[in-house]
């Protein structure tokens, strides 16, 4: 079933929309959550919670890209769960990748309007990058892939991946400064 049909089922409050979402996106959602969380149970719980949140949000919201919208909900749920699970300890590769981004995108303390504007600026920045740098960046910071996984996807060595990421973060920091996001 295509996304437009699923959206229509959600608008009509037809519970079969959840089953269709699961059929189409369960694997992707579990992948996103699983790259952030170490336990399958936690990942499944985040995915199910994301389906419930989606059910509550549509309507009134009407995202133009259901897949991205759902993945963002899953990712946020997984990050929240990770923070809960690791309140005083480290140990997740995803935490490391988030730490990498803090040098150019610090936590804004839940400022949703600013976060939405910042997301748009980052999207614009990524569209200006060459395809390989963009894909490496997205694999690391959206999907939470390890350096080894990314190296495997693109036939690179891990040091090259790390260099790509460093250079892209540096460019992003400069781009954000130009756009008025100078976090000093």
């Amino acid at each position: 079933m295509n996304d437009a049909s699923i959206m229509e089922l959600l608008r009509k409050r037809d519970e079969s929309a959840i089953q269709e979402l699961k059929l189409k996106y369960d694997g992707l959602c579990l992948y996103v959550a699983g790259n952030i969380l170490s336990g399958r149970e936690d990942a499944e719980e985040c995915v199910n919670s994301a389906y419930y949140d989606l059910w509550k949000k549509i309507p009134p919201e009407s995202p133009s890209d259901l897949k991205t919208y759902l993945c963002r909900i899953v990712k946020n749920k997984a990050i929240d769960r990770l923070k809960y699970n690791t309140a005083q300890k480290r140990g997740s590769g995803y935490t490391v990748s988030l730490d990498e981004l803090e040098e150019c995108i610090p936590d804004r303390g839940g400022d949703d309007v600013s976060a939405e504007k910042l997301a748009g600026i980052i999207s614009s920045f990524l569209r200006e990058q060459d395809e390989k740098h963009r894909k490496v960046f997205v694999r690391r910071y959206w999907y939470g892939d390890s350096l080894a996984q990314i190296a495997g996807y693109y036939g690179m060595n891990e040091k090259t991946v790390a260099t790509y990421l460093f250079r892209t973060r540096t460019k992003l920091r400069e781009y954000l400064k130009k756009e008025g996001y100078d976090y000093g």
Side-chain angles (χ1 to χ4, degrees):
M1 180 175 278
N2 66 29
D3 288 357
S5 300
I6 294 172
M7 287 290 293
E8 188 57 34
L9 291 174
L10 287 166
R11 281 188 208 98
K12 290 180 178 177
R13 311 308 295 155
D14 186 332
E15 292 181 15
S16 67
I18 301 300
Q19 290 305 316
E20 293 298 333
L21 280 168
K22 286 183 178 189
L23 283 172
K24 188 165 184 180
Y25 293 119
D26 219 38
L28 175 63
C29 290
L30 286 170
Y31 178 80
V32 170
N35 274 343
I36 297 169
L37 301 165
S38 57
R40 174 115 177 136
E41 265 184 35
D42 282 344
E44 289 174 351
E45 186 177 318
C46 286
V47 171
N48 287 330
S49 180
Y51 291 144
Y52 179 70
D53 278 9
L54 188 72
W55 176 261
K56 290 189 313 185
K57 291 179 180 191
I58 300 173
E61 292 186 23
S62 184
S64 59
D65 185 346
L66 181 62
K67 176 180 169 183
T68 302
Y69 188 80
L70 177 59
C71 284
R72 185 177 34 162
I73 294 172
V74 169
K75 181 180 175 186
N76 290 338
K77 292 275 181 198
I79 290 170
D80 289 346
R81 184 59 176 212
L82 176 67
K83 287 176 184 174
Y84 174 80
N85 288 349
T86 59
Q88 293 295 321
K89 57 186 175 182
R90 290 281 195 202
S92 167
Y94 196 77
T95 303
V96 172
S97 71
L98 290 178
D99 289 346
E100 291 169 5
L101 274 181
E102 282 183 353
E103 67 189 47
C104 53
I105 310 172
D107 183 13
R108 301 277 300 167
D111 185 358
D112 290 337
V113 174
S114 183
E116 192 172 308
K117 180 180 177 193
L118 182 60
I121 292 170
I122 293 169
S123 291
S124 295
F125 165 78
L126 288 173
R127 281 191 292 274
E128 293 179 9
Q129 304 309 301
D130 69 69
E131 183 179 10
K132 197 167 213 177
H133 280 83
R134 180 175 58 248
K135 286 182 175 182
V136 166
F137 188 90
V138 169
R139 294 290 335 168
R140 180 70 170 158
Y141 302 117
W142 178 257
Y143 292 107
D145 289 347
S146 69
L147 297 179
Q149 288 173 308
I150 297 167
Y153 289 140
Y154 301 114
M156 304 163 70
N157 70 48
E158 289 183 47
K159 288 186 180 201
T160 303
V161 171
T163 300
Y164 270 44
L165 291 167
F166 175 77
R167 289 178 180 164
T168 305
R169 286 192 313 270
T170 301
K171 288 179 189 176
L172 176 59
R173 185 173 41 249
E174 292 304 314
Y175 190 88
L176 289 172
K177 282 181 185 178
K178 186 176 80 174
E179 294 294 324
Y181 282 89
D182 186 5
Y183 298 111

